[in-house]
Amino acid sequence: MATRLFGVFSPRFVDQVQEQITNSVQTEPPLDGAPPRVWVVTGYRAGERSQLLALAERLDWPYELKELSYRKTEFTTSLFRGNDLRGIRLKHSSALAPPWPDLVLSAGMRNEPVGRWIRNRSGGKTRLVHVGRPWADPERFDLVITTPQYPVPRRPNVLCNTMTLSLVSPRWLEEKAVLWRQRYAALPGPYTGALLGGDSGPYTFGRKTAQRLAREANRLVKSTGGSLLITTSARTSPEVVDVLEREIDVPFDLYKWKKGDDSNPYSGILALSDRLIVSADSISMLSEACTTCKPVYMLDPVSHRYPMRNPAGARFGEDRRLQGFLYSLLLRVGPRRLGRDIRLVHRKLLAEHRAVWLGEDFPDEVPVPADDVQRALARVRQLFNRQ
């Protein structure tokens, strides 16, 4: 441990940083009428990366992706709210050098010191927009775009949307439908999609939850006919897949998640399905599903202490795991700002009639299109007095 820490502060590291900041105050402002120069410091979680890319794409300003490689000791600079590059491996990361950007989009605690370092090098001209939960005080950013699950103080520079940001739009859905229609051509319609997550925090998505999903999905599909289109994710356990393959008795297609696989039909399921079942442990998947304005049915993985549904409602057999118990203990005794409560997002979606719990009837009215992305775009553009 001492050796690793010494390496972070070694002369070689200092030389590398010095090389990066040569002429660091050089900033080339955009010409009149030219769009701002944007860097996207990509998140290290899939949901964060997709949000950042959605925001960058929809801004329609030229942007550069900055991929970072993190040291095991990065927490030392992140935890103490540094303004430096001690947490990243410079040789394995994208170059961070002039001309400095006008705007940095980032997410995650590891990227916060990097964003502040970039702003310092630009002489304070770079705007910082953070997506998700900020670990530093929100005042250290120009704009924070978050959701109700995080206990972020409400400040003038904090935008709290109902859902996370995504690229989903009517045009996007049309394009994905054309791209993926052939995969499901042999299956009868209408299609019911199922987007599955897995264990998350105090919630356990195990065998019993999978059995309940299979029963409810069978019932839902049989009520209208058609087929079930399923995709798993990195967190979906083999046990869950085994249960579904064994107990689903309607026509179905099941994609088993593989890292970096271009044949993942996730976007096709969003586009082609007439209704969607989503495991409610994933706020990003829920957000993308609800943005389609199709009926969304939320599956609630079990948590003994923190049930997603109203505690007075029906109780189901429990899947148990030690990590879930320890996480629930942390939520009870740890600082509030270290946790998150995804149930607050569920309540908003229910109140706005964008989703119901799996097993309930969906309202007759069609959900109105969400304006979360448009609100975020407007707030970012206001930083540059552009509408």
Side-chain angles (χ1 to χ4, degrees):
M1 179 68 174
T3 301
R4 290 200 300 268
L5 286 173
F6 178 78
V8 173
F9 297 97
S10 67
R12 181 180 179 185
F13 175 82
V14 173
D15 290 341
Q16 290 174 326
V17 173
Q18 189 61 46
E19 183 178 340
Q20 287 256 8
I21 64 176
T22 299
N23 299 322
S24 62
V25 296
Q26 295 179 8
T27 303
E28 298 178 8
L31 300 174
D32 290 343
R37 183 181 296 111
V38 182
W39 285 3
V40 179
V41 182
T42 58
Y44 38 91
R45 300 183 184 91
E48 292 172 343
R49 291 174 65 92
S50 63
Q51 286 198 74
L52 293 172
L53 290 174
L55 185 58
E57 288 285 343
R58 298 286 283 275
L59 277 171
D60 203 26
W61 295 339
Y63 67 89
E64 296 179 50
L65 290 178
K66 298 297 181 179
E67 302 276 0
L68 303 183
S69 176
Y70 305 94
R71 297 176 182 273
K72 292 181 180 179
T73 53
E74 61 79 21
F75 72 93
T76 59
T77 189
S78 300
L79 186 63
F80 296 104
R81 313 294 180 252
N83 303 311
D84 51 57
L85 302 182
R86 292 191 179 101
I88 66 172
R89 300 180 180 90
L90 296 176
K91 287 187 175 181
H92 303 287
S93 300
S94 300
L96 303 175
W100 302 111
D102 306 294
L103 172 64
V104 167
L105 306 177
S106 71
M109 183 171 70
R110 297 176 183 177
N111 292 332
E112 291 186 22
V114 178
R116 291 190 290 267
W117 182 88
I118 294 169
R119 180 165 60 186
N120 288 348
R121 300 286 78 75
S122 74
K125 296 180 180 180
T126 298
R127 270 63 163 199
L128 298 184
V129 174
H130 187 87
V131 175
R133 183 225 307 266
W135 292 91
D137 190 295
E139 293 302 321
R140 302 189 71 176
F141 305 91
D142 295 279
L143 176 64
V144 173
I145 303 171
T146 190
T147 49
Q149 60 184 310
Y150 299 119
V152 180
R154 297 301 182 254
R155 306 276 177 79
N157 67 323
V158 173
L159 172 62
C160 187
N161 280 330
T162 298
M163 298 184 287
T164 59
L165 307 176
S166 80
L167 284 170
V168 176
S169 67
R171 180 177 178 180
W172 184 92
L173 291 170
E174 290 175 5
E175 293 173 352
K176 300 304 180 181
V178 171
L179 183 63
W180 289 99
R181 185 169 285 115
Q182 187 59 37
R183 175 186 173 100
Y184 301 114
L187 289 172
Y191 298 138
T192 299
L195 313 177
L196 307 185
D199 296 341
S200 177
Y203 301 105
T204 301
F205 189 169
R207 177 177 58 85
K208 293 180 180 179
T209 300
Q211 290 172 333
R212 177 158 50 93
L213 168 62
R215 289 195 302 271
E216 291 294 341
N218 286 335
R219 182 190 63 80
L220 195 59
V221 173
K222 288 176 181 177
S223 69
T224 59
S227 307
L228 182 65
L229 314 181
I230 309 169
T231 181
T232 65
S233 67
R235 291 185 290 109
T236 310
S237 70
E239 178 185 44
V240 168
V241 173
D242 291 342
V243 169
L244 297 179
E245 289 182 322
R246 185 172 61 251
E247 300 195 13
I248 290 176
D249 59 8
V250 296
F252 75 96
D253 179 277
L254 193 157
Y255 170 81
K256 301 176 184 178
W257 183 88
K258 305 180 192 68
K259 184 176 181 180
D261 185 8
D262 292 337
S263 65
N264 187 334
Y266 176 88
S267 60
I269 293 176
L270 280 174
L272 293 169
S273 297
D274 298 275
R275 56 193 175 189
L276 293 155
I277 300 170
V278 185
S279 57
D281 54 271
S282 173
I283 298 304
S284 60
M285 288 198 302
L286 266 180
S287 298
E288 291 178 332
C290 289
T291 303
T292 68
C293 291
K294 300 173 182 180
V296 173
Y297 299 84
M298 298 188 295
L299 169 71
D300 54 317
V302 171
S303 171
H304 178 66
R305 293 280 184 174
Y306 295 91
M308 293 181 181
R309 296 198 195 193
N310 188 329
R315 292 182 61 84
F316 305 98
E318 292 186 6
D319 293 308
R320 297 180 182 273
R321 81 189 207 286
L322 177 60
Q323 296 94 324
F325 169 77
L326 294 176
Y327 196 98
S328 65
L329 181 63
L330 176 64
L331 290 177
R332 292 199 300 275
V333 303
R336 178 174 175 269
R337 73 178 309 274
L338 296 181
R340 65 174 185 143
D341 191 347
I342 62 176
R343 297 175 301 177
L344 298 176
V345 178
H346 302 154
R347 292 167 191 167
K348 288 276 287 182
L349 296 176
L350 291 167
E352 295 176 3
H353 305 292
R354 300 188 184 280
V356 298
W357 293 114
L358 183 60
E360 297 178 352
D361 294 328
F362 200 86
D364 291 333
E365 65 266 24
V366 177
V368 298
D371 62 353
D372 299 74
V373 173
Q374 293 304 320
R375 293 173 65 202
L377 293 174
R379 291 293 297 272
V380 173
R381 289 172 179 144
Q382 285 174 9
L383 298 176
F384 299 91
N385 296 317
R386 303 190 183 200
Q387 302 300 322

